Amino acid sequence: RNVTGVQTCALPILKDCVPEPKPGRSCGSLKARKGAAGWVAMLAAVTVAWPVATVTIPLVRGPSASSVLKAESSTLALAFRATRSAALSNARVQALEIDVDRLEYASQVVNRRAIDPRVSLKVTVAKQAERGDRSARFLFFPNGQSSGGRVVMTLDAASSEVIVDWATGFASIR
């Protein structure tokens, strides 16, 4: 109670607060307190459900097409770079071969690795490095140059491109 003898509401957000409540009743009606409890319960449920949903939904759906392509193109670019490094350090020509039918690649320094079967490939290499219609070789020379070329990977509507520069032999991703 304040100086005038009128009780004031401690919670100004409750609209049902009356200046002089009936005996045995506190400030705010029962209906307003139940509404506040509902909001608190809903907030608690969302607080618990949000982290669970953020973890389980990607597990159920699987990885997105762009993340699969990012992983595949990064791994292929690393294989190109390892093969180029071997050519430079061993002072010998090294080759990385891609089999488009089997969706796999390998070189003298990179173990055979399969590409995700959902990914489709389009490989462009120099004429000297062709190995038939369904296989292509990327050559890396001891002076740092390469035969050059590009590998375009597509999955659904997403695509990624690994480019091997002929002048430097460096592999980059676009």
Side-chain angles (χ1 to χ4, degrees):
R1 293 191 180 267
N2 63 14
V3 185
T4 60
V6 177
Q7 182 176 2
T8 57
C9 180
L11 300 172
I13 61 170
L14 298 177
K15 295 179 181 177
D16 296 333
C17 187
V18 292
E20 293 183 352
K22 296 178 183 176
R25 273 246 149 115
S26 62
C27 184
S29 70
L30 185 59
K31 181 179 177 185
R33 283 185 283 160
K34 281 185 179 177
W39 279 102
V40 170
M42 185 171 60
L43 181 62
V46 168
T47 304
V48 171
W50 186 263
V52 172
T54 57
V55 171
T56 57
I57 289 174
L59 292 175
V60 171
R61 285 191 316 187
S64 67
S66 62
S67 64
V68 169
L69 288 178
K70 185 175 183 180
E72 292 293 345
S73 59
S74 296
T75 307
L76 180 60
L78 288 173
F80 282 133
R81 292 172 188 160
T83 305
R84 177 182 177 268
S85 293
L88 292 171
S89 63
N90 296 337
R92 293 188 314 173
V93 175
Q94 298 283 326
L96 184 134
E97 188 168 339
I98 299 176
D99 188 331
V100 179
D101 281 338
R102 293 184 183 172
L103 289 174
E104 57 187 26
Y105 57 88
S107 75
Q108 294 93 337
V109 294
V110 175
N111 292 331
R112 187 161 300 283
R113 184 178 188 293
I115 298 170
D116 189 312
R118 298 174 293 165
V119 174
S120 63
L121 294 179
K122 180 180 178 191
V123 181
T124 306
V125 293
K127 187 76 171 166
Q128 67 188 30
E130 284 183 1
R131 300 273 310 220
D133 290 343
R134 307 312 293 168
S135 183
R137 285 190 325 171
F138 288 80
L139 301 174
F140 295 91
F141 304 106
N143 65 357
Q145 292 182 334
S146 73
S147 60
R150 67 182 61 219
V151 179
V152 178
M153 299 179 172
T154 55
L155 177 61
D156 298 334
S159 69
S160 180
E161 186 175 23
V162 181
I163 301 167
V164 179
D165 185 281
W166 67 270
T168 62
F170 186 74
S172 59
I173 302 169
R174 255 201 271 167

